[in-house]
Structures are given as C-alpha cells and as structure tokens.
Amino acid sequence: EADIYQTPRYLVIGTGKKITLECSQTMGHDKMYWYQQDPGMELHLIHYSYGVNSTEKGDLSSESTVSRIRTEHFPLTLESARPSHTSQYLCASTDTRGRGTQYFGPGTRLLVL
Amino acid sequence: GQSLEQPSEVTAVEGAIVQINCTYQTSGFYGLSWYQQHDGGAPTFLSYNALDGLEETGRFSSFLSRSDSYGYLLLQELQMKDSASYFCAVDSGGYQKVTFGTGTKLQVIP
C-alpha cells in the first residue's frame, strides 16, 4: 500500500492569495511529481524532482513553484492564485529501482474565486 | 515531442471483454504502464510492460509491441465497478519522466 499524502484535500480561496499545497510520502522514493488535472481530462505534468535539491518544470507551463528540501516532502506554491488555477492537483512518487510505477496521493481540489 | 493516443470513450456490457488501445511516440522508451482512475479519485497503478508480450494480472492483462509502438489493456469479465478512466503512460529516459495518455473513459452497462 502506497503511503503518499496531500493536504488540504479541498481548498477554496480568493484571487491573489498565496497558497501552498503539501505532499509527503513515507516510502523513501527519490522521484516525485506534481500533475494538474481538470475533471475528465488528461494529467499534465507541471513539476518533478529527482531528489533533494533537484526540481524541474514539466510539460505544462505553470505559475507555481516547488521545493525539495527533504526526500519525503515536495510542496507546491502558488504565489498569487487566479481563477485559471482552479483544478485538481495530484502528487505522485516513484522508486528509481522500481518499474516506474507511480503512486498517487488523493489529490487537492482547488477552487479560486 | 511525446504523444500517446487512446480512444476517448468505450462502452461495454457487464461480463464482456474490452480492449483499450494505446499508441505512442516518445523520444525514449523504458516501459508502458496502465492506470485506473475513478471519478473524483486518484490514478492507481494496474500493470507495466517493459518487454514485448502479454502480462496478466487477474482479470486485467496488458500487451506491448515495441516495434509497433503500441500496447493495449484487456479487461475480462467486466464488472460495473470497472467503469472508470484508463490511462496509458510511458517511462522515457533515464530519469523516468513519465508521459500520460489522454485517457479512455470506460462505461460498463448492464
């Protein structure tokens, strides 16, 4: 059973606010990912990390930033939320030694008013 | 660039067999994965193929042909709970960056 957690699960916030979406995993995985997904649509990779102090932007342009100070923690920050940021944000991790299987957190549903 | 194509929707009858296809064009290839996602939920891993051929896991099987850049997910003895979206995904490159397909919404009807 995968142990990857995201908080908050749901967030309603006003335009212009700064928010941080938390993601933690207890599996010791070195690779972690953030995806953005609208209902019924495909997953878009917005950030990924190969390990501590390593972060890269994904395929989808995003105004968010990430950090990876500890192996288990990969928070995503929006400095100034906008209605266009309304979406579901999914965090995932994978073990390099594995077959590339990604374990997903439950997701954060964000609504920006 | 990376691209994976899947049918957008498939409908099948309870108890039947359904095949969901995935064709891919990627700059590197290590393996093809399949994920299931119920409405409102997160994707969960189903299967992985690194080599050509068929992998079987219970009612689900997955096939890969690297020469054709093609794979499929086969679901047997369909149950109503199998109604979900199914995504194929390719590991490409040494850093295991994963690219997901567009997803196939499967509806199982009585």
Side-chain angles (χ1 to χ4, degrees), chain B:
Chain B
Q2 317 278 74
S3 72
L4 288 83
E5 292 194 8
Q6 307 176 230
S8 58
E9 293 183 359
V10 173
T11 300
V13 177
E14 189 177 16
I17 299 173
V18 71
Q19 178 174 314
I20 299 173
N21 299 321
C22 174
T23 57
Y24 58 89
Q25 282 187 308
T26 59
S27 56
F29 182 86
Y30 276 70
L32 181 72
S33 301
W34 287 93
Y35 292 82
Q36 178 191 60
Q37 185 180 29
H38 286 99
D39 284 346
T44 56
F45 172 78
L46 290 177
S47 67
Y48 181 85
N49 294 71
L51 302 175
D52 291 349
L54 192 68
E55 292 274 347
E56 298 181 67
T57 309
R59 294 189 296 116
F60 295 178
S61 303
S62 57
F63 172 82
L64 174 65
S65 169
R66 288 174 296 172
S67 60
D68 295 324
S69 297
Y70 164 76
Y72 65 72
L73 180 69
L74 192 73
L75 295 84
Q76 303 181 71
E77 301 172 18
L78 280 172
Q79 302 176 8
M80 299 301 291
K81 67 178 182 179
D82 296 330
S83 293
S85 291
Y86 293 84
F87 293 89
C88 59
V90 166
D91 300 335
S92 53
Y95 290 115
Q96 292 186 299
K97 180 182 168 183
V98 176
T99 303
F100 281 82
T102 51
T104 299
K105 189 171 181 65
L106 170 65
Q107 183 181 12
V108 180
I109 59 176

Side-chain angles (χ1 to χ4, degrees), chain A residues 28-31 50 94-101, chain B residues 94-96:
Chain A
H29 288 172
D30 47 0
K31 306 292 193 293
Y50 303 142
T94 188
D95 186 346
T96 307
R97 297 163 297 174
R99 303 183 305 176
T101 303
Chain B
Y95 290 115
Q96 292 186 299

